[in-house]
Amino acid sequence: MSYLHIDKMDAIKDFPNKSDQLAIMNRHMPENANLFFTELLKISINITG
């Protein structure tokens, strides 16, 4: 899988024209992110495709 590292959100605008399958942007962790994901892990998720 190919991926594209971007620095600014504006760079994502050209993503559909790229051959990359994933765009990665480093950013600061949102406040209370750990709490959110801890609660999310308690939920049973089933994906069928």
Side-chain angles (χ1 to χ4, degrees), residues 2 5 10-12 14-18 21-23 25-28 31 33-35 37-39 42-44 46-47:
S2 60
H5 280 278
D10 289 342
I12 201 80
D14 195 39
F15 184 71
N17 301 322
K18 303 274 186 186
Q21 299 171 347
L22 177 68
M25 184 175 93
N26 289 332
R27 61 186 182 99
H28 296 290
E31 189 174 326
N34 285 335
L35 177 62
F37 285 106
T38 299
E39 293 298 315
K42 294 177 183 177
I43 300 171
S44 178
N46 185 8
I47 299 173

